[in-house]
């Protein structure tokens, strides 16, 4: 195993500053963090603590003002926007607070979408997604458009979409924020199962106590900086 | 990092189609604007082509044909010395009889135009005397139908003159009246010829009615000593679009007489520059209207596609987060615009074609606008019944024009979609 293979994510002195009118906002300050493959890690903190921004930086959705980020062996600042898209397509799955399913696609098509872009064969796509639908109690809902699914169902589809293409890393931004307790518990169990059985690395941005309790590593952020980093 | 070479065309196309379907009302409205624009465009193009072809046809029949063969300089000098002598006729007729030319030719006719003086007991007026073959001329032009008194010329007429109404009035001529035609003959002498009025015509074009006198070729030959010489041999074809090719072919076949300076080949655009200018002015006037129409439609497309993009800001962020590149994201929007305009163009052209077909047989009667008076334009009396002309090239032209509008109108929304800030787009909670 090379040094690059020994971590899923590594950040070195990463900072992100936004300009808001005349004011400079330091969303992330000098963050250095290493996440090894298979971790189930939560980035916790109050609103404005910088956890979502850090998640976006790791996912290559935005670029840092300073510092370096490695994901799956690639230093993100060296990649073009198109290369970043390819990295996300092949290595990173996303789960968003607002589910963000594509409204013109059915539940099944949404879940298959990253694999469709990867060029996975139709049979393989269908078989993987249907199996995950079965495991998550979603069988029978494959042909429904997102508007015809409950919040919990939509988020399950989003989780399936994130893991079905078998990425090395899943970045989940407040995945339980819009769900009731039962749905949140069910979703967390599902993600734990995927982490355990598929070996997918999960990194959450959350302020949900249930997510923090279940995560095996808790990184607390305050004012854009890491305040504590504990293995639970 | 290895670049993904696949453009995910299938995915992009599928998303574009589904997005068009999702906003069905918006799509339908834009599609309607496009197809109505397309239908109007093709109808107007074919209608304009038909009208112009009618102008050209009317002009070249009374004028110099679609293509005319003359001696160089005759068009300017109008002198008898610049005539096509009989010895030049065989190579011209041989060229016109070659298979590649004969297939295009509808009618061949010759005329002998000479400027002279027409004198009666009452007065004298300058006149353009035209020697014709009455049979060919009556089949070619409507001059025989424009008789208002007496009759048209007959092949056996010897001293007969068919006189414009304005000239007849000016010379105080009636049927059977005698007048003397005076012009320069082939020996450069001024010579006169007594003729008798057999008919009076009215074309509605003052310049023609006040100056023209038709006589037979035989009369001119005897009077001026020109025998079977003519001043022009002219050709009528089915469609004026074929004229440039025919001119090129004839110039090749008649290279020798052209090189020796005994003949020249001229298309109608050169021979009748006023008519050509009138057609061009009308055509470009129409194009200006089309451009204005399509700029308005173009803004409609920009508005529709851009609205759609702004409403889907978050979606574009999501699909880029999931692995679509910015360029591919822009392609979705661009293809939406192209699909919309392409479908609008095809349906519009089909509907416009159907509309045109309905008018193909009987045309559109413009007497409502023009009244009963003759309308003259560039020396041609216009037929109030305007009949469209089907030209396949216009289909391609119309579809390509609309697609170009679609391409231009889709670029900006596509760029907006491609350059979306992914992280920012996720912040919106719609």
């Amino acid at each position: 195993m090379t040094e690059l293979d020994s971590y899923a994510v590594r950040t070195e002195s990463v900072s992100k500053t936004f300009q808001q009118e005349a004011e400079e906002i330091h969303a992330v300050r000098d963050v250095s963090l290493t996440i090894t493959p298979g971790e189930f890690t939560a980035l916790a903190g109050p609103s404005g603590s910088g956890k979502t921004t850090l998640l976006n930086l790791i996912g290559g959705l935005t670029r840092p003002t300073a510092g370096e980020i490695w994901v799956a062996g690639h230093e993100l600042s060296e990649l073009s926007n198109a290369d970043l898209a390819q990295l996300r397509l092949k290595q990173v799955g996303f789960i968003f607070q607002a589910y963000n399913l594509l409204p013109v696609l059915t539940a099944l098509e949404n879940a298959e979408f990253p694999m469709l872009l990867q060029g996975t064969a139709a049979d393989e796509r269908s078989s993987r997604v249907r199996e995950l639908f079965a495991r998550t109690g979603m069988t029978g809902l494959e042909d429904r458009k997102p508007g015809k699914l409950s919040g919990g169902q939509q988020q399950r589809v989003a989780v399936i979409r994130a893991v079905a293409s078998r990425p090395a890393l899943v970045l989940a931004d407040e995945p339980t924020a819009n769900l009731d307790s039962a749905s949140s518990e069910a979703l967390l169990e599902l993600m734990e199962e995927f982490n355990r059985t598929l070996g997918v690395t999960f990194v959450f941005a959350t302020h949900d106590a249930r997510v923090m309790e279940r995560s095996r590593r808790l990184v607390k952020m305050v004012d854009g900086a890491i305040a504590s980093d504990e293995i639970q | 990092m290895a670049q993904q070479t696949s453009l995910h065309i299938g995915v992009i196309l599928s998303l574009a189609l589904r997005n068009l379907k999702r906003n069905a009302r918006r799509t339908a409205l834009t599609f309607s604007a496009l197809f109505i624009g397309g239908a109007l465009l093709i109808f107007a193009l074919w209608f304009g082509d038909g009208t112009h072809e009618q102008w050209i046809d009317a002009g070249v029949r009374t004028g110099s044909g679609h293509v005319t063969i003359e001696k160089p300089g005759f068009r300017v000098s109008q002198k008898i010395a610049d005539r096509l002598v009989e010895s030049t006729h065989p190579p011209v007729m041989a060229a016109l009889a070659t298979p590649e030319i004969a297939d295009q030719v509808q009618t061949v006719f010759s005329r002998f135009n000479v400027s002279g003086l027409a004198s009666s007991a009452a007065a004298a007026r300058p006149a353009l005397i035209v020697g014709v073959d009455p049979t060919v001329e009556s089949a070619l032009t409507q001059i025989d139908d424009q008789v208002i008194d007496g009759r048209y010329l007959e092949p056996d007429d010897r001293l007969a003159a068919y006189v414009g109404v304005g000239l007849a009035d000016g010379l105080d001529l009636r049927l059977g009246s005698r007048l003397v035609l005076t012009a320069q003959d082939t020996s450069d002498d001024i010579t006169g010829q007594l003729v008798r009025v057999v008919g009076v015509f009215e074309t509605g074009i003052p310049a023609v009615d006040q100056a023209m006198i038709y006589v037979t070729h035989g009369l001119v030959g005897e009077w001026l000593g020109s025998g079977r010489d003519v001043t022009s041999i002219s050709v009528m074809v089915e469609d004026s679009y074929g004229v440039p090719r025919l001119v090129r072919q004839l110039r090749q076949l008649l290279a020798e007489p052209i090189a020796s300076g005994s003949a020249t080949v001229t298309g109608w655009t050169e021979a009748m520059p006023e008519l050509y200018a009138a057609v061009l002015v009308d055509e470009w006037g129409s194009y200006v209207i089309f451009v204005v129409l399509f700029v308005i439609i173009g803004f409609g497309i920009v508005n529709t596609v851009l609205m759609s993009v702004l409403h889907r800001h978050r979606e574009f962020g999501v699909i880029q987060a999931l692995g679509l590149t910015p360029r591919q994201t822009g392609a979705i929007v661009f293809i939406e615009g192209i699909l919309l305009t392409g479908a609008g163009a095809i349906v519009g052209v089909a509907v416009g074609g159907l509309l045109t077909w309905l008018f193909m047989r009987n045309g559109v009667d413009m007497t409502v606008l023009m009244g009963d008076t003759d309308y003259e334009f560039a020396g041609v009396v216009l037929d109030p019944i305007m009949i469209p002309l089907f030209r396949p090239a216009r289909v391609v032209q119309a579809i390509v024009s609309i697609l170009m509008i679609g391409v231009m109108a889709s670029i900006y929304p596509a760029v907006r979609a491609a350059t979306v800030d992914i992280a920012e787009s996720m912040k919106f909670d719609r």
Side-chain angles (χ1 to χ4, degrees), chain B residues 107-131:
Chain B
T107 313
V108 178
F109 62 99
S110 61
R111 288 191 182 133
F112 199 117
N113 290 2
V114 59
S115 298
L117 192 70
S119 314
S120 68
R125 291 272 192 280
L128 177 64
I129 302 137
V130 185

Side-chain angles (χ1 to χ4, degrees), chain B residues 319-397:
Chain B
I319 58 175
Q320 289 194 47
L322 295 179
L324 223 56
T325 64
R327 188 174 290 188
Q328 290 162 349
T329 308
I332 293 174
V333 174
F334 188 72
I335 287 174
E336 276 176 38
I338 298 302
L339 285 174
L340 194 58
T341 46
I346 290 166
V347 175
V349 167
V351 171
L354 186 68
L355 193 65
T356 311
W357 177 77
L358 292 174
F359 289 101
M360 207 68 115
R361 190 180 178 84
N362 297 320
V364 179
D365 190 346
M366 302 299 283
T367 47
V368 179
L369 297 174
M370 291 162 63
D372 289 334
T373 50
D374 289 330
Y375 183 53
E376 184 213 337
F377 190 54
V380 177
V381 176
L382 303 183
D383 189 336
I385 310 292
M386 295 181 174
I387 297 172
L389 176 68
F390 174 77
R391 281 199 169 125
R394 293 296 200 188
V395 173
V396 178
Q397 203 179 342

Side-chain angles (χ1 to χ4, degrees), chain A residues 152-169:
Chain A
Q153 288 168 336
Q154 287 189 58
Q155 196 61 305
R156 271 183 276 171
V157 174
V159 172
I160 294 169
R161 177 176 70 183
V163 299
S165 59
R166 296 182 183 161
L169 172 70

Side-chain angles (χ1 to χ4, degrees), chain B residues 15-267:
Chain B
L15 283 173
L17 276 169
R18 289 188 190 204
N19 279 315
L20 287 173
K21 197 173 152 195
R22 174 167 58 160
N23 297 306
R25 191 181 301 174
R26 190 188 291 161
T27 301
L29 281 171
T30 312
F31 175 81
S32 303
L34 281 162
F35 104 75
I36 290 169
L40 285 175
L41 175 65
I42 196 72
F43 179 75
L45 285 173
W46 281 336
F47 203 75
D49 285 344
T51 306
H52 295 154
E53 199 59 31
Q54 279 176 270
W55 295 3
I56 295 163
D57 192 72
V60 298
R61 279 177 192 279
T62 50
S64 53
H66 283 112
V67 179
T68 190
I69 298 145
E70 302 167 326
K71 185 148 187 199
F74 175 74
R75 187 149 296 279
V76 176
S77 72
Q78 295 287 310
K79 285 184 177 170
I80 194 166
D82 293 329
R83 68 190 185 279
L84 279 178
V85 294
E86 192 179 354
S87 61
T88 58
H89 300 188
V92 171
M93 300 315 284
L96 293 173
T98 55
E100 69 265 33
I101 303 284
D103 284 350
Q104 303 169 59
V105 173
Q106 263 191 343
T107 313
V108 178
F109 62 99
S110 61
R111 288 191 182 133
F112 199 117
N113 290 2
V114 59
S115 298
L117 192 70
S119 314
S120 68
R125 291 272 192 280
L128 177 64
I129 302 137
V130 185
V132 297
D133 177 332
T135 311
V136 174
E137 201 72 17
S138 66
L140 184 71
T141 70
Q142 293 183 324
I143 196 72
D144 54 335
D145 296 330
Q146 289 163 331
V147 62
I148 56 170
D149 198 8
R151 64 169 175 83
Y152 179 60
L153 297 173
E154 288 174 358
D156 297 335
D157 284 336
R158 277 203 65 245
L159 300 173
Y162 188 56
V163 185
V165 64
L167 188 61
D169 288 345
L171 297 175
D172 196 21
L173 298 173
R174 287 177 184 76
L175 278 185
S177 295
R178 286 180 295 181
L179 70 155
V180 175
L181 305 178
T182 310
Q184 193 175 34
D185 67 11
T186 53
S187 310
D188 290 342
D189 293 326
I190 301 298
T191 181
Q193 173 69 52
L194 182 72
V195 292
R196 194 178 293 273
V197 177
V198 296
V200 177
F201 66 85
E202 182 174 16
T203 62
I205 305 170
V208 173
D209 293 340
Q210 288 168 11
M212 283 188 80
I213 300 175
Y214 285 90
V215 295
T216 62
H217 269 315
L219 174 73
V220 174
E222 284 178 26
W223 165 36
L224 301 176
S226 55
R228 296 172 69 86
D229 298 351
V230 294
T231 53
S232 66
I233 296 173
S234 300
V235 175
M236 292 292 295
V237 294
E238 195 170 339
D239 188 330
S240 65
Y241 260 36
V243 169
R245 188 168 75 106
L246 181 60
V247 168
R248 280 197 303 276
Q249 288 174 321
L250 281 171
R251 282 178 180 163
Q252 280 176 355
L253 289 167
L254 297 172
E256 202 174 306
I258 290 171
S260 67
S262 55
T264 184
V265 179
T266 312

